[in-house]
């Protein structure tokens, strides 16, 4: 599994965030029947408490994982609430 950490200052220069969390895209492979495909998940880490939540294999769609991460970042979702937000989003 690869973890791609997002540079929030470059991606969201006008966004007013608390800067308390780091967000990453997780890239992995998932077996689907007789073939494999790339799957995407998310990781959110708290800079203050070092708490970390990882949810792999959420989707195989790049636009969908981008949509989810945008929602997480804009709402400053931390590790504690990540699972609930992802469950609601799905």
């Amino acid at each position: 599994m690869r973890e791609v950490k997002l540079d929030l200052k470059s991606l969201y220069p006008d966004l007013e965030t608390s800067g308390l969390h780091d967000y990453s895209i997780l890239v992995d492979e998932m077996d689907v029947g007789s073939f494999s495909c790339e799957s995407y998940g998310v990781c959110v880490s708290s800079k203050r408490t070092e708490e970390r939540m990882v949810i792999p294999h959420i989707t195989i769609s790049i636009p969908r994982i981008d949509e989810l991460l945008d929602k997480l970042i804009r709402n400053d979702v931390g590790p504690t609430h990540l699972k609930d937000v992802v469950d609601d989003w799905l």
Side-chain angles (χ1 to χ4, degrees):
M1 179 182 334
R2 293 178 314 205
E3 182 174 343
V4 180
K5 187 175 174 183
L6 302 179
D7 180 2
L8 299 184
K9 289 182 183 179
S10 296
L11 295 172
Y12 296 90
D14 298 330
L15 186 64
E16 297 291 327
T17 64
S18 63
L20 296 176
H21 305 106
D22 286 322
Y23 298 89
S24 302
I25 296 175
L26 305 174
V27 183
D28 204 355
E29 284 195 14
M30 181 170 67
D31 292 330
V32 181
S34 61
F35 64 95
S36 293
C37 63
E38 209 166 55
S39 70
Y40 306 99
V42 295
C43 174
V44 178
S45 302
S46 170
K47 293 179 183 178
R48 240 184 6 213
T49 66
E50 298 184 17
E51 180 184 5
R52 176 179 162 101
M53 175 62 73
V54 174
I55 303 178
H57 307 296
I58 295 171
T59 183
I60 60 171
S61 168
I62 293 171
R64 290 281 288 161
I65 203 65
D66 286 345
E67 175 189 323
L68 174 60
L69 273 162
D70 186 66
K71 181 181 192 106
L72 296 173
I73 292 165
R74 290 190 184 281
N75 291 289
D76 203 22
V77 175
T80 303
H81 301 289
L82 178 62
K83 184 170 178 355
D84 292 330
V85 173
V86 170
D87 286 346
D88 290 344
W89 180 79
L90 289 172

